[in-house]
Amino acid sequence: MSFGLGAEMLNFGALIAFMGVNAAAFMRYVVRDRKWTVSFVAPPVLGFVICLLLWLSLSTPAKIAGSIWMAAGIAFGAWKTRGFRGDLVNFDLPADD
């Protein structure tokens, strides 16, 4: 794997995450709280569109490799949680003795 492909795969995942954050902000403030003002609508919409355009500009090999890596992660998560019915990670601290 080349450095360039690795960097693009990193961007593949980061841009998808940023699109998710922008979509979540839109859903929270605009859809759920009904704040239909420019200050609540424009930032998440513009952020999502910019990230989408950047994501679309990634090379085809990066999109293919990123999709395979993402599918492997989802499959591992499904296996580890028995179909997403359990916790993937346990953040409970052990009891002090």
Side-chain angles (χ1 to χ4, degrees):
M1 176 187 308
S2 70
F3 176 79
L5 179 60
E8 282 193 282
M9 285 177 61
L10 178 66
N11 289 333
F12 175 95
L15 290 167
I16 286 177
F18 292 143
M19 286 187 284
V21 167
N22 284 297
F26 182 85
M27 294 300 293
R28 170 69 167 88
Y29 293 108
V30 179
V31 174
R32 184 174 171 198
D33 291 348
R34 302 180 199 281
K35 295 182 179 180
W36 286 93
T37 62
V38 172
S39 62
F40 283 102
V41 174
V45 169
L46 287 173
F48 185 90
V49 169
I50 290 168
C51 289
L52 178 63
L53 292 173
L54 289 170
W55 187 86
L56 291 172
S57 72
L58 294 174
S59 68
T60 300
K63 289 179 191 169
I64 292 169
S67 296
I68 292 169
W69 190 252
M70 184 172 62
I74 292 169
F76 176 77
W79 169 75
K80 187 80 171 164
T81 61
R82 293 178 171 72
F84 299 109
R85 285 181 246 134
D87 292 334
L88 184 61
V89 179
N90 183 356
F91 289 106
D92 294 334
L93 297 174
D96 291 333
D97 293 330

